[in-house]
Structures are given as C-alpha cells and as structure tokens.
Amino acid sequence: MDWLKNKKGEAYIFTCVLVLFIAALLSVILLYMSLLGKIEFQKNDVEAKLDGFISDYATEMFDAIKQGDTYASSIDWDSLEDGAYKALGFENDYTSEFVYQGGECAMSRPTVTVLSGNGFGVKVDYVASFAVNWNGKSYADLEIPLTVTSYYKPK
C-alpha cells in the first residue's frame, strides 16, 4: 500500500482506471434498466390491447345472451382468435411482424390460443425484438419470448 502514499503520482493511474470501470459499469446498468423498461412497456401494451378486445367481445356476447342465445352458442371461437390477431395489429395472414412506432421494438406474428372453461379468453405467445443501442450505435437485437393472457370470467 506504499504506492497509495507515494507522492510521484502513481496512485492517479489506479484512480483513473477505477473511475473508468465504474463509468462503464453504470453505463451497462443503465442500458439494462432501459431495456427492462421497454420490455415491460411492450408487454403492457399487448395486454391492454387484448383486454380491450376481450372486454368488447364480452359485451357482444352478453348482448347475444340477453337476446336469448345460450352461453356456449354465442361465443364464436374462430372470430375470437381472428379478433385477437387484429387487435394486435396483424390485419391479415401475410403480416409476419408488427413494428412499433419509432422502430425500437418489433413483435413477431404471435401464436394465439383460445381459452375456454368457466369463461373465455386468449393466450398469446410471441417474440419481441429490441435493438440494443449504446453510445449512439446499434449493436444487436435482443429477442425475448413473451406470453400474455387475457381472460374474461362472468360473475
């Protein structure tokens, strides 16, 4: 530890290396935190779109039941699946990717599974792709598989 007490300035090298290491570590931590925020935002967006669609579909189903249809016959399972695709921005079968405004995130064509039981809903499995940008440059695309479920259960 004599080199820390040395008056020749040799300790400044260690201090500079330590400061550079801490700055690089903070930069990576901030990059990671921003990516986590983008992932959570994208997942919440998909969940909000599905919840809105399921809520509208439940209103239509409730109107059909009030007009005398049975619960099971009023649900069109194929239109439930097609409507989920449309709610997520996949208007036709040829759309393979939905790119969010700004281009920071892209969503691959999801796999929609219709859920039934004591209600109805959809489960969506998809891969979200995020560009990893650091210091103004794009280095890679981070692909994360995600699953979002929206389910309506009548009371």
Side-chain angles (χ1 to χ4, degrees):
M1 293 302 241
D2 289 335
W3 59 276
L4 287 176
K5 297 178 185 177
N6 189 339
K7 301 286 184 182
K8 294 180 185 175
E10 294 171 355
Y12 290 123
I13 295 172
F14 175 72
T15 304
C16 289
V17 169
L18 184 64
V19 167
L20 287 174
F21 175 75
I22 290 172
L25 184 64
L26 284 174
S27 178
V28 169
I29 289 172
L30 289 175
L31 173 68
Y32 179 73
M33 288 174 39
S34 70
L35 282 172
L36 284 180
K38 289 177 186 178
I39 292 167
E40 194 63 32
F41 175 78
Q42 197 275 338
K43 189 173 181 180
N44 288 341
D45 181 56
V46 170
E47 191 172 328
K49 288 177 181 178
L50 287 178
D51 286 346
F53 166 69
I54 292 294
S55 177
D56 291 342
Y57 195 82
T59 303
E60 292 174 16
M61 184 203 68
F62 183 69
D63 289 343
I65 291 172
K66 283 184 3 184
Q67 293 175 6
D69 289 348
T70 62
Y71 174 76
S73 67
S74 63
I75 298 175
D76 183 9
W77 302 105
D78 291 332
S79 71
L80 188 63
E81 182 179 351
D82 293 339
Y85 279 116
K86 288 180 183 172
L88 294 174
F90 296 91
E91 296 295 328
N92 55 40
D93 293 339
Y94 306 110
T95 308
S96 63
E97 188 176 62
F98 178 77
V99 179
Y100 279 81
Q101 189 174 12
E104 292 185 8
C105 175
M107 176 179 167
S108 68
R109 185 166 185 85
T111 302
V112 176
T113 306
V114 176
L115 305 174
S116 62
N118 195 16
F120 61 90
V122 290
K123 181 177 95 170
V124 177
D125 297 310
Y126 63 98
V127 175
S129 177
F130 299 90
V132 178
N133 298 320
W134 186 64
N135 199 18
K137 296 179 183 174
S138 182
Y139 287 95
D141 284 335
L142 178 65
E143 293 188 348
I144 300 173
L146 295 169
T147 300
V148 177
T149 303
S150 183
Y151 195 79
Y152 177 79
K153 185 176 178 182
K155 295 180 181 180

